[in-house]
Amino acid sequence: MNESNPIRPIEWVGGLDGHVALIEQTLLPEKFKIIRVEDVETMWDAIRRLAVRGAPAIGIAAAMGTVLGVRGCDEGDEAGFRRRLTEVCDYLRTSRPTAVNLFWALERMVKCADDHRGRGVAEISKALLGEAQAIRDEDAAMCRKIGEHGAPLITDGCGVLTHCNAGALATAEYGTALAPMYVAHKLGRAFRVYADETRPLLQGARLTTWELGRAGIDVILICDSTAAVVMREGKVDLVITGADRIAANGDTANKIGTYGLAVLADAHGIPFYVAAPSSTFDLPLADGEGIPIEERDPDEIRRGMGRQTAPDEVSCYSPAFDVTPASLIRGIITERGLIEPVSGASVSAMLGNCEP
Ligand code: MRU
């Protein structure tokens, strides 16, 4: 991490009448552009089209989107304000289905409003903005801790493979899977990161290499299909990915391709780790079977990055995420510590008392 110039993909600017400043991630690495989001519809769209993406960042976006959505309600009508809050949260819930952080953050916003019931619209609005900012700040702190807990896994001279982007861009700051790399780099360890390009939207190629390169970390971009080869060549000592939703038994949903990587890592005897904050755990969900998997527009495959890459009429299947069974995961790095081995009992021992 470039400490003097950190990457903060989402920030609230100003007071209640302020706006959200977002890094427009669809333009990276060609262009670094900050966009201004002033209403909940624009925030919904930014989440949907991946201008802001990555589970923790989506949660922050939903929280800040809630504040934007309830602005302008009649100050004297608390009941009307509550109805609008429900409407806004229901709307934001439809933006993307897999990352549980979105639902977790909205639950926190509703609870915050409940806790301030009867105090008037102005005070509840102020509390909601404070809650959204707290969600952002707590995420930054959790990511820092994940970095500290995960850094001992990255030893001098090792090779780490990662998938998609679970870095600063996907969180408030620092990232989850990339946080241990930032800490290890700061400690002076020399290591190499293999970044999968991550088809179809190339978060690994566009975002992870940009982030790691900016921090001065040795990163090699590979096609997704090269992962098996670099493993067989002995270049990879461990895999670390992020997560979008982790069930009570440790089954983990993450970017499509993660499950395949875990199978490959198992076949080559390479430890496979997941890094995620407690906000990514869905403890009421017993296992990965129940995780809703988003399907994306087929044109993201047929017209990769705007160019025709397949015939218009070809049928496509494009799940955005897959589920890696807990049995293939060596450990889960959380802000509270490393869960290893991964089982219902170890997850519950570390996170059992998590509340939204
Ligand atoms: O579709 P995306 O880009 O939102 O998918 C992101 C991922 O799958 C990340 O690995 C995950 O959200 C963890 S982010 C810290």
Side-chain angles (χ1 to χ4, degrees):
M1 175 59 56
N2 185 339
E3 294 278 354
S4 60
N5 186 16
I7 299 169
R8 294 189 176 132
I10 176 160
E11 287 192 288
W12 185 276
V13 180
L16 256 181
D17 57 351
H19 66 273
V20 179
L22 279 188
I23 297 178
E24 172 55 83
Q25 297 192 34
T26 62
L27 299 179
L28 283 169
E30 246 179 314
K31 213 177 191 175
F32 182 89
K33 186 178 172 192
I34 306 275
I35 57 167
R36 209 180 151 103
V37 178
E38 296 182 281
D39 57 73
V40 66
E41 290 79 14
T42 309
M43 186 62 94
W44 187 97
D45 186 59
I47 296 172
R48 184 74 203 157
R49 63 184 181 80
L50 274 57
V52 58
R53 32 81 33 217
I58 292 172
I60 299 163
M64 293 184 178
T66 306
V67 180
L68 296 174
V70 296
R71 265 198 320 209
C73 286
D74 179 352
E75 292 242 332
D77 178 11
E78 196 178 311
F81 178 88
R82 289 291 310 202
R83 279 195 299 278
R84 175 67 184 153
L85 178 67
T86 305
E87 204 175 275
V88 164
C89 290
D90 287 348
Y91 172 59
L92 284 166
R93 274 187 204 101
T94 64
S95 57
R96 291 192 78 188
T98 303
V100 76
N101 305 61
L102 183 141
F103 306 91
W104 168 87
L106 292 173
E107 237 178 88
R108 262 184 73 159
M109 297 302 279
V110 170
K111 180 169 184 312
C112 171
D114 285 346
D115 291 346
H116 290 79
R117 199 179 281 274
R119 301 213 204 146
V121 169
E123 199 164 320
I124 304 173
S125 301
K126 220 170 101 193
L128 287 176
L129 175 57
E131 188 70 1
Q133 280 168 326
I135 288 173
R136 196 224 80 94
D137 294 349
E138 286 167 25
D139 186 64
M142 289 193 286
C143 289
R144 280 228 182 229
K145 282 277 171 209
I146 288 171
E148 286 166 20
H149 292 304
L153 299 171
I154 301 177
T155 51
D156 236 345
C158 84
V160 194
L161 191 144
T162 191
H163 190 63
C164 194
N165 172 266
L169 285 167
T171 61
E173 292 184 59
Y174 317 114
T176 56
L178 300 196
M181 302 178 203
Y182 288 128
V183 174
H185 180 66
K186 203 171 160 196
L187 291 170
R189 288 182 207 143
F191 58 93
R192 170 166 285 175
V193 182
Y194 292 90
D196 279 352
E197 62 176 352
T198 317
R199 287 277 294 143
L201 296 180
L202 305 179
Q203 289 93 329
R206 296 187 301 106
L207 309 177
T208 297
T209 64
W210 178 80
E211 255 200 72
L212 293 178
R214 189 176 177 276
I217 293 175
D218 179 8
V219 56
I220 306 260
L221 174 64
I222 57 170
C223 293
D224 297 332
S225 43
T226 305
V229 170
V230 288
M231 287 186 189
R232 201 182 52 193
E233 288 173 347
K235 292 175 173 157
V236 177
D237 299 287
L238 76 160
V239 178
I240 313 182
T241 73
D244 285 85
R245 193 184 290 233
I246 304 176
N249 71 342
D251 289 353
T252 295
N254 192 50
K255 179 53 57 193
I256 190 76
T258 304
Y259 169 46
L261 273 184
V263 172
L264 284 177
D266 186 52
H268 290 86
I270 295 168
F272 182 95
Y273 290 94
V274 167
S278 49
S279 51
T280 300
F281 285 76
D282 187 356
L283 296 180
L285 206 61
D287 57 45
E289 278 285 298
I291 299 179
I293 300 292
E294 175 183 12
E295 268 197 55
R296 299 288 301 180
D297 183 340
D299 272 346
E300 289 179 351
I301 313 182
R302 286 192 291 236
R303 297 173 174 277
M305 295 291 124
R307 263 202 72 206
Q308 182 104 31
T309 48
D312 271 334
E313 62 282 3
V314 73
S315 301
C316 302
Y317 174 47
S318 187
F321 302 96
D322 57 28
V323 176
T324 300
S327 57
L328 292 176
I329 302 170
R330 172 71 63 89
I332 304 178
I333 311 159
T334 74
E335 79 277 12
R336 299 182 183 196
L338 179 62
I339 302 175
E340 182 179 351
V342 179
S343 67
S346 60
V347 168
S348 156
M350 186 73 80
L351 295 163
N353 59 347
C354 273
E355 290 238 328

